[in-house]
Amino acid sequence: MNDKKRVLVVEDEKAIKLGLEENLKFAGYDVQTAEDGPEALRLGLTSHPDLILLDIMLPGMSGYDVCRKLRDGGAHMPIIMLTARQDEFDKLHGFEMGADDYVTKPFSVKELLARVRAVLMRGRERADEPHEYVFSDCRLDTESRILTRSGKALTLTRTEFELLAYFCRNAGKALSREVVMNDVWGTEYYGTQRSLDSFVSNLRSKIERDAHDPKHILTVHGVGYKFLL
Ligand code: CA
């Protein structure tokens, strides 16, 4: 049995693509490559790679759109975005489109491989956790990524979903805003705490009976949040 992890490298700059391909192969991964958005989308949806390295500026379709369409198409593998400094990568937008992490070009191969390992490891740890959480009239299934309330499916954005799943996994713990942002969005996320608060407020309006008197996502003053199942 071949238990090598398969990485799809999407990059239209040939030198970078080749460098990534060689280094990943050397590190023990199987590698597929694509050079444009539509091909990336096709391979991502049909060949089920374990991880995708996705450039943003691509011919045919941007990396953001590829990412969103993969998620819309039900693909849940981790995606690391490759960004050029001059792209002024919008991190929040990237995460909202479904990216798990990003690295800025030019990057060191060592750093990139560390990210690849970390993201794959995160996925494996999650496989051992319960995937269904029930609170009040809500039920969150983290495998099918569906939240139902009184039996009706509710629409969550990608970030809202990740945040709610994180709260469920860490129910009962007081969580600082820094820790939540770090764990949900990764170590290099520099979004404002206010953006976290606005995601929380959206989530409250979806899952709480009274968003102004929450029973599940509680505010811990001076700290952050505590989720109660
Ligand atoms: Ca490019």
Side-chain angles (χ1 to χ4, degrees):
M1 201 186 112
N2 185 357
D3 60 357
K4 273 189 181 181
K5 295 283 185 193
R6 197 146 35 88
V7 179
L8 171 59
V9 173
V10 184
E11 172 62 75
D12 61 323
E13 283 168 66
K14 291 203 170 32
I16 299 180
K17 188 187 78 166
L18 193 64
L20 284 170
E21 190 176 1
E22 286 180 348
N23 280 292
L24 286 162
K25 281 183 177 164
F26 188 71
Y29 298 98
D30 274 341
V31 181
Q32 278 181 301
T33 59
E35 293 184 12
D36 62 54
E39 176 73 350
L41 184 59
R42 190 185 67 76
L43 283 175
L45 289 174
T46 56
S47 78
H48 309 292
D50 296 295
L51 174 97
I52 302 180
L53 297 180
L54 181 59
D55 185 29
I56 291 182
M57 302 301 280
L58 288 167
M61 192 191 303
S62 79
Y64 291 124
D65 287 341
V66 172
C67 193
R68 183 174 47 79
K69 285 176 192 238
L70 283 169
R71 296 313 188 202
D72 288 349
H76 300 319
M77 75 288 281
I79 296 174
I80 300 177
M81 292 213 153
L82 307 175
T83 80
R85 218 173 282 281
Q86 66 269 24
D87 290 347
E88 294 189 6
F89 176 56
D90 181 339
K91 296 168 197 93
L92 197 56
H93 186 56
F95 290 122
E96 191 59 42
M97 292 299 106
D100 295 87
D101 202 352
Y102 71 97
V103 290
T104 307
K105 294 190 254 188
F107 46 80
S108 81
V109 169
K110 207 170 142 190
E111 181 201 350
L112 182 85
L113 290 175
R115 296 292 178 92
V116 165
R117 274 193 302 274
V119 165
L120 287 170
M121 186 66 75
R122 242 192 277 167
R124 211 174 59 196
E125 282 165 5
R126 287 195 187 157
D128 300 333
E129 290 170 343
H131 62 89
E132 197 174 70
Y133 300 91
V134 178
F135 45 97
S136 299
D137 51 352
C138 296
R139 178 184 296 266
L140 179 72
D141 185 324
T142 58
E143 262 180 13
S144 60
R145 303 174 75 87
I146 289 172
L147 172 70
T148 55
R149 183 163 184 183
S150 305
K152 275 193 199 144
L154 292 184
T155 309
L156 294 180
T157 68
R158 159 96 179 168
T159 303
E160 288 167 4
F161 170 84
E162 293 296 344
L163 189 57
L164 182 57
Y166 177 80
F167 278 145
C168 286
R169 285 195 293 270
N170 292 283
K173 295 181 198 163
L175 302 161
S176 72
R177 285 182 175 79
E178 289 80 7
V179 163
V180 174
M181 292 195 294
N182 200 37
D183 287 356
V184 175
W185 287 296
T187 46
E188 294 208 3
Y189 177 68
Y190 298 115
T192 64
Q193 304 201 345
R194 201 168 296 164
S195 59
L196 173 62
D197 292 342
S198 84
F199 283 116
V200 165
S201 135
N202 291 344
L203 266 184
R204 278 180 174 151
S205 69
K206 292 182 180 181
I207 67 165
E208 301 281 0
R209 277 178 217 278
D210 178 358
H212 300 291
D213 179 24
K215 299 286 183 258
H216 296 292
I217 308 177
L218 311 184
T219 297
V220 182
H221 289 290
V223 181
Y225 296 103
K226 184 197 275 188
F227 184 80
L228 298 178
L229 282 168

